[in-house]
Each structure stands twice: as C-alpha cells, then as structure tokens.
Amino acid sequence: MIFSLTFATGGFGLNFDLFETNILNLAVVIFGLYKFLPSFLGGILERRRSAILTDLKDAEDRLNEATDALSEAKKELASAEEKALQIRKDCKARAEAIRLESEKKTVEEMARIKQGAASDLTSEAARVSAQLRREAAQMAIDKALAALPSRLNKKTQDEFLNQSINKIGNN
C-alpha cells in the first residue's frame, strides 16, 4: 500500500502512523519471537544436538568394535596363514619321505628280482652243466663200450684182470 500511495502522490516519504503501518503488530510479533522462540527452538535444537551426539557416539562405538574385529580377524588370518604354511611344509616333507620310501622299495624289489634272476640263472646253469656232464659221461661210456670189444682180446683181458687183482691186494 505504501508503494501504491507513493506512486499516486508522486513522491516518496515515510509514514509515521502507527496503526496504519502495523508497527505495533510487528513489535508484538518480534517480542513474542524473542521471548518464546529461543525456548521452543532451543529445545528442538537441543534434542537434535543430543540425537546427533548419540548417533556419533554409537557410530564411534561401532567403529571401535569394527576396528577390534578387524584386528582380531587379521590375527586369525595370520595364524591361519602360518598353519597353512606349516601344513604345506609338512605335506612336502611327507611327500618327499613317501617318494624316498617308494624309491627304496623299488630298488630293494629290483635287487630281489635281480638276485632271483641270478639265482635262477645259477641253478639253470648248474642243471645244464650237470645234464651236459651226464650226457658226456654217457657218450664216453657208449664209445668205450663200442671200442672195447675190438680192443679187448683174450691176452689183454688176462693182463687187465691180473693188474686189477694186484691192485686190490696192495690196498
């Protein structure tokens, strides 16, 4: 309204009429805000501040718990890694022991087989040798028996008998 009046009158000026300008109403409103707003707004702000502080404390507590849990998890991880490393070492040592034992058994088995083969070879050689001796003796006897009738006449037989009897008598 002030602007419309100022434009209508053609000039600009101040209006000091208290009732027309509503200065009293504004003063009452400002006083009421000054008197009641701090307690009302202060309560709201205090509750909000308290809620924020509580949330911050909860967040800090959760952070501490999470930090502790992380620290414990790191310790458990380190322990698990040490166990895994020890298990790995034990497995490698066991695998090496099994490999060495297997090699030892293989060498022993090969030596046993070789010994068995050598034994079999020796026994087979002895058997063949004995067989050859028997056959050679049989052939010698057969040859001697075949040659004996032609070489042994009556005079030779008598000399042979006399020598044999003399030998028996001398012993």
Side-chain angles (χ1 to χ4, degrees):
M1 258 192 155
I2 294 175
F3 292 112
S4 61
L5 288 175
T6 55
F7 290 129
T9 57
F12 180 74
L14 294 176
N15 186 357
F16 291 107
D17 186 7
L18 291 179
F19 295 111
E20 191 176 302
T21 57
N22 251 347
I23 289 183
L24 287 179
N25 290 339
L26 286 174
V28 169
V29 169
I30 290 174
F31 177 74
L33 287 175
Y34 175 76
K35 183 72 177 165
F36 299 111
L37 191 62
S39 62
F40 175 72
L41 224 75
I44 291 174
L45 290 176
E46 185 60 35
R47 283 192 301 275
R48 182 68 183 142
R49 181 180 166 274
S50 172
I52 289 172
L53 287 176
T54 303
D55 289 345
L56 285 175
K57 177 123 177 75
D58 289 344
E60 187 177 320
D61 291 343
R62 286 192 311 253
L63 175 65
N64 289 337
E65 289 174 7
T67 303
D68 292 343
L70 177 63
S71 175
E72 185 65 28
K74 284 181 179 180
K75 287 178 186 176
E76 289 177 3
L77 177 63
S79 174
E81 285 175 347
E82 287 177 18
K83 282 183 181 180
L85 185 61
Q86 185 62 36
I87 288 171
R88 194 174 294 131
K89 285 180 182 178
D90 291 345
C91 287
K92 284 181 180 179
R94 179 74 177 134
E96 183 66 19
I98 289 171
R99 185 185 65 78
L100 290 175
E101 182 67 25
S102 176
E103 285 178 0
K104 181 181 174 186
K105 285 182 180 180
T106 302
V107 168
E108 288 174 356
E109 184 66 20
M110 288 174 65
R112 188 187 64 77
I113 290 171
K114 187 176 179 181
Q115 182 67 27
S119 175
D120 289 347
L121 183 62
T122 303
S123 66
E124 185 65 22
R127 187 188 66 76
V128 168
S129 178
Q131 178 74 25
L132 286 174
R133 272 190 232 122
R134 278 193 299 274
E135 288 178 8
Q138 186 64 39
M139 284 176 60
I141 291 171
D142 289 345
K143 191 174 183 182
L145 286 176
L148 192 61
S150 66
R151 295 181 79 197
L152 205 61
N153 56 20
K154 181 77 172 143
K155 184 180 168 192
T156 311
Q157 283 180 3
D158 288 339
E159 285 177 12
F160 180 66
L161 276 171
N162 285 338
Q163 282 178 357
S164 296
I165 291 172
N166 287 335
K167 282 186 185 180
I168 292 175
N170 288 339
N171 287 335

